[in-house]
Amino acid sequence: MASPRSRQAARLRERRRRSQRRARRLVLLSVLAVLGVVTLLFTAFGSSGSSGPAPIAIETVSLADATAVRPRPQVLASIGNLRIQLPVAAGALTAIGYHGSSDGSLSLQPVGRQANAGLLERLWRRIAGSGRESPRWYQLEGGPAGTNVLDVGAAPGTDVYAPVKGSVIAVSDLVVGGKRVGSRIDLRPSESPSVMVSVMNVRPDPSIAVGTPVLAASSKLGTVVDVASVEEQALAAHAPDGGNNVSVSVYPSPGSLP
């Protein structure tokens, strides 16, 4: 019969063996975790330098012809139940960017993923399995932070289509630095008549007038103007042609204000 002392020694040896097994498992898990983080870091840094156009859709046309192609339906942003669609053909798109504004415009919810997000956010997207979302968009610098203004990059002369279904409620001159640069076209969307969607940096099509009904991604509003020739564009850091763009903002409808 084992003595109390020998039983205690056996218990001590068993505890030491368990502690050693736990220590080996912890070391193994730590090594695997370090390897995983290193792999994610290399992957994240390797993919963060690209600043090409957002991979929205494949157009079977040349780049020159793409400026006159009707866009395929593609939601870029939302606000409530309103969806803002791509206003230019995917083949003509150079980049998508957002910036803030203090002019009373409402904050938009971008669709896709931020291409210039911070390292921690990129790592989390890869861990969560959301790293391949599209379209890719950029948070633009040089102004207020936020997502009030959507800049859709395209070369001057590119056809611009309505980003929402609704009707034209105003067409006004767009003045930059004391110089008229195209127009601002205000739309009242059918899905959300309590707001107004403004499309800027556009030379209006002759068919556009107050009261004209428009269909999203189908009704031509006009063409992109060369706004970059009179004002530096934040989108230029991520797109060619000086960052020329169609700018889209959403405001409370004047008729809905208290």
Side-chain angles (χ1 to χ4, degrees):
M1 182 176 178
S3 66
R5 180 174 295 179
S6 64
R7 288 197 298 271
Q8 183 178 7
R11 286 195 295 270
L12 289 173
R13 285 194 298 271
E14 180 61 26
R15 281 200 292 269
R16 280 197 296 270
R17 283 195 292 269
R18 287 198 297 268
S19 297
Q20 290 170 351
R21 287 196 295 269
R22 284 197 296 268
R24 285 195 293 270
R25 285 197 296 269
L26 287 173
V27 170
L28 178 61
L29 290 174
S30 298
V31 171
L32 291 175
V34 170
L35 289 174
V37 170
V38 170
T39 301
L40 287 172
L41 286 172
F42 276 114
T43 304
F45 279 121
S47 63
S48 63
S50 173
S51 60
I56 292 180
I58 298 175
E59 298 281 355
T60 56
V61 294
S62 67
L63 182 60
D65 294 335
T67 59
V69 171
R70 181 181 298 176
R72 297 176 181 175
Q74 171 67 48
V75 177
L76 298 185
S78 64
I79 176 169
N81 66 336
L82 180 64
R83 304 292 183 265
I84 307 297
Q85 296 203 32
L86 179 67
V88 301
L93 176 66
T94 57
I96 299 170
Y98 290 86
H99 61 85
S101 176
S102 56
D103 65 351
S105 56
L106 304 174
S107 181
L108 303 174
Q109 179 62 48
V111 172
R113 65 182 179 90
Q114 183 181 343
N116 58 345
L119 175 60
L120 291 179
E121 184 174 340
R122 296 200 304 273
L123 287 175
W124 171 248
R125 282 204 307 256
R126 294 187 181 279
I127 292 171
S130 59
R132 295 185 179 275
E133 293 180 1
S134 64
R136 295 186 298 119
W137 55 273
Y138 296 90
Q139 182 66 59
L140 302 179
E141 299 179 353
T147 57
N148 303 64
V149 182
L150 164 62
D151 288 342
V152 182
T158 302
D159 285 350
V160 178
Y161 291 81
V164 295
K165 176 184 177 182
S167 60
V168 178
I169 59 174
V171 180
S172 55
D173 291 345
L174 181 63
V175 179
V176 178
K179 182 179 179 180
R180 180 181 181 274
V181 186
S183 298
R184 164 176 165 166
I185 301 174
D186 296 328
L187 308 174
R188 174 159 292 155
S190 302
E191 295 178 348
S192 185
S194 63
V195 300
M196 176 181 71
V197 177
S198 295
V199 184
M200 290 167 277
N201 305 338
V202 178
R203 180 174 290 106
D205 189 81
S207 63
I208 294 300
V210 174
T212 302
V214 295
L215 294 175
S218 295
S219 299
K220 182 178 175 180
L221 297 181
T223 56
V224 178
V225 298
D226 188 7
V227 68
S229 65
V230 295
E231 182 180 61
E232 183 178 357
Q233 300 297 299
L235 198 63
H238 309 286
D241 298 311
N244 274 301
N245 63 86
V246 182
S247 184
V248 182
S249 301
V250 178
Y251 298 86
S253 178
S256 67
L257 295 176

